[in-house]
Amino acid sequence: MKQTFLNDAPLIPATTPATWLGVMGGGQLGRMFAHAAQAMGYKVAVLEPAEDCPAAHVAERHILADYDDEIALAEMAALCVAVTTEFENVSHHSLAFLGDRIFIAPKAACVSIAQDRIAEKEFFTQCGVASKVLPAPYRNIASPADIDSVPADLFPGILKTVRLGYDGKGQARVTSVDELRIAYANMSGVQCVLEKMLPLAYEISVLVARGADGRALVYPIAENVHRDGILFTTTVPGPNVGAEAAEIAQNAALAIIDQLGYVGVLCIEFFVLEDGALVVNEMAPRPHNSGHYTIDACITSQFAQQVRAMARLPLGDVRQHSPAIMLNILGDVWFEANSDQPREPAWDQIVALPGAVLHLYGKAEARRARKMGHITFVAPTLAQANVQLTAACAILGIDL
Ligand code: ATP
Ligand code: MG
């Protein structure tokens, strides 16, 4: 069986029998997806091997199993009318297994490209004519011998693992062939790419959604600041993003999502270089941390959009009604500064800030560098949102 659902009827929520949507993965993205699906009248099943996880706390059904457990996947397919994924490292096999049985968005082939930096870069290069944006110069490093033929102009560079990298993990910055040899040896023999280090002016992400009818919509361009490899803040509209960069990014995102034949929410990260040129970095085949602001600042959140796309309903309005800044809350704020002494952050003071919307993911244990929640600061102007961000950081002991 192949996916031939594109002309099928929309999966309108019903209570008898209940209409179920499924999500692979039980993290915070699955939790916020469940909230959005339930708000529209669907019931939600989560397939996730961890017992106590953010999405299982809210879903009507938790299928407690590994992502590649075929009995569990068959149960998911029998229960649900459509399935999506919040965890991009679900295997191609599992998604194809589901895709043979029910509608899945995005489809397995799209997720596979995003799971593999080389496939992703090759895809971006191949659609460069349509998107008018290319990835950073790079070289595949699959063995120590590949290092001998690395062109000198790729230094300084960043060595990245081809698979399973996130939040800056699986990366090493290198300035010479010798450093590259050492860094590659430390990657335990996994396949890598060496990317040229580019002079970044700022980083943006473009959230784009495509419905089953092929219609695509782009959210406002978001500007991201990372700290220690982890997203720190997202500001929308991006304060540095000029009209020209916004147009290039928007058109590139539309070209990329069309060429993929993608259904669902896709987040594409771009670098804007000091000379104003855009470079496409990577894509996440799902709602993304940099799109969390849409819950509080847009007509249709990225999660509600994912629900619509997978249910083959028309996409929702992506209009942003207020400027917004999103601050990630890491486990660090549960500890006194420079000590292991635990503390409870003063959430009462945070929620007292005008326009501050607190989201906590219900994780049982706060660990440093672990994403525990986020705060969206919504205000009539970005300057006002910034005032509240500054106040919140002072309350939480976060250096700005
Ligand atoms: P995440 O999943 O959190 O987005 P990741 O671990 O998949 O991150 P990248 O997004 O590729 O990795 O890189 C992390 C950060 O490193 C980027 O946001 C950027 O700040 C910096 N970086 C990555 N590649 C380059 C490059 N070629 N030139 C300059 N800086 C880079
Ligand atoms: Mg990234």
Side-chain angles (χ1 to χ4, degrees):
M1 274 187 288
K2 279 281 142 266
Q3 277 208 315
T4 51
F5 308 92
L6 282 190
N7 297 318
D8 286 2
L11 305 165
I12 293 167
T15 46
T16 21
T19 305
W20 288 80
L21 298 179
V23 59
M24 297 292 287
Q28 63 266 22
L29 298 172
R31 176 184 177 98
M32 291 182 273
F33 167 82
H35 287 149
Q38 291 165 339
M40 287 181 71
Y42 295 97
K43 290 191 191 290
V44 174
V46 169
L47 195 157
E48 160 66 47
E51 214 158 318
D52 182 16
C53 63
H57 297 160
V58 298
E60 281 86 353
R61 179 83 56 95
H62 179 188
I63 302 173
L64 185 67
D66 286 332
Y67 302 123
D68 54 4
D69 179 329
E70 288 195 357
I71 294 171
L73 291 167
E75 184 186 341
M76 183 84 136
L79 177 67
C80 298
V81 291
V83 172
T84 189
T85 182
E86 63 109 49
F87 174 59
E88 70 204 59
N89 291 313
V90 173
S91 74
H92 177 89
H93 176 80
S94 296
L95 294 177
F97 182 96
L98 288 167
D100 283 345
R101 288 160 179 80
I102 43 164
F103 186 76
I104 70 162
K107 58 189 182 209
C110 295
V111 178
S112 290
I113 295 174
Q115 285 173 346
D116 181 307
R117 279 194 200 273
I118 294 175
E120 190 174 61
K121 287 179 191 301
E122 284 174 353
F123 167 75
F124 286 145
T125 306
Q126 173 208 319
C127 82
V129 176
S131 71
K132 302 195 168 54
V133 171
L134 290 171
Y138 70 99
R139 218 16 124 76
N140 299 348
I141 312 281
S143 74
D146 290 334
I147 294 175
D148 300 330
S149 59
V150 165
D153 68 0
L154 285 189
F155 294 102
I158 307 187
L159 184 70
K160 301 181 180 180
T161 58
V162 168
R163 291 183 162 270
L164 303 176
Y166 71 100
D167 290 347
K169 294 188 175 67
Q171 295 195 6
R173 296 183 177 216
V174 292
T175 59
S176 65
V177 174
D178 288 341
E179 282 183 20
L180 173 58
R181 271 187 221 291
I182 295 165
Y184 180 66
N186 287 337
M187 298 291 189
S188 324
V190 298
Q191 210 182 351
C192 292
V193 289
L194 177 69
E195 236 179 84
K196 185 178 173 65
M197 179 88 86
L198 300 172
L200 311 190
Y202 58 96
E203 296 183 47
I204 59 175
S205 55
V206 184
L207 199 59
V208 54
R210 188 170 173 276
D213 59 1
R215 191 167 160 253
L217 294 173
V218 185
Y219 282 87
I221 311 297
E223 194 171 320
N224 298 323
V225 174
H226 295 84
R227 264 206 196 161
D228 301 325
I230 303 174
L231 185 63
F232 179 59
T233 56
T234 296
T235 302
V236 200
N240 288 300
V241 186
E244 196 191 351
E247 196 182 329
I248 296 170
Q250 191 168 346
N251 289 339
L254 289 170
I256 288 168
I257 203 165
D258 268 344
Q259 294 244 334
L260 280 169
Y262 190 95
V263 176
V265 171
L266 176 72
C267 181
I268 311 172
E269 293 179 15
F270 296 87
F271 299 144
V272 183
L273 307 188
E274 284 167 0
D275 67 2
L278 262 76
V279 167
V280 57
N281 179 36
E282 59 177 358
M283 58 186 173
R286 50 172 172 76
H288 188 260
N289 194 168
S290 64
H292 290 353
Y293 82 91
T294 59
I295 299 174
D296 304 304
C298 293
I299 308 284
T300 310
S301 80
Q302 61 171 349
F303 300 102
Q305 201 70 289
Q306 185 78 330
V307 170
R308 286 165 176 257
M310 72 190 285
R312 286 176 258 152
L313 297 169
L315 292 185
D317 192 341
V318 294
R319 205 157 17 116
Q320 183 180 4
H321 51 70
S322 304
I325 305 175
M326 190 275 321
L327 171 73
N328 261 340
I329 303 297
L330 304 182
D332 303 64
V333 302
W334 274 261
F335 297 94
E336 298 292 348
N338 307 316
S339 102
D340 288 336
Q341 192 63 37
R343 66 165 183 201
E344 192 58 35
W347 300 125
D348 53 339
Q349 294 176 41
I350 295 293
V351 298
L353 298 171
V357 189
L358 176 65
H359 298 255
L360 292 172
Y361 307 146
K363 294 185 182 177
E365 191 196 348
R367 291 195 294 268
R368 289 191 185 276
R370 186 181 201 198
K371 289 176 183 170
M372 301 295 291
H374 70 270
I375 307 169
T376 311
F377 303 93
V378 178
T381 65
L382 272 186
Q384 286 163 282
N386 225 352
V387 169
Q388 304 306 343
L389 167 73
T390 306
C393 286
I395 293 164
L396 296 173
I398 298 170
D399 293 332
L400 256 184

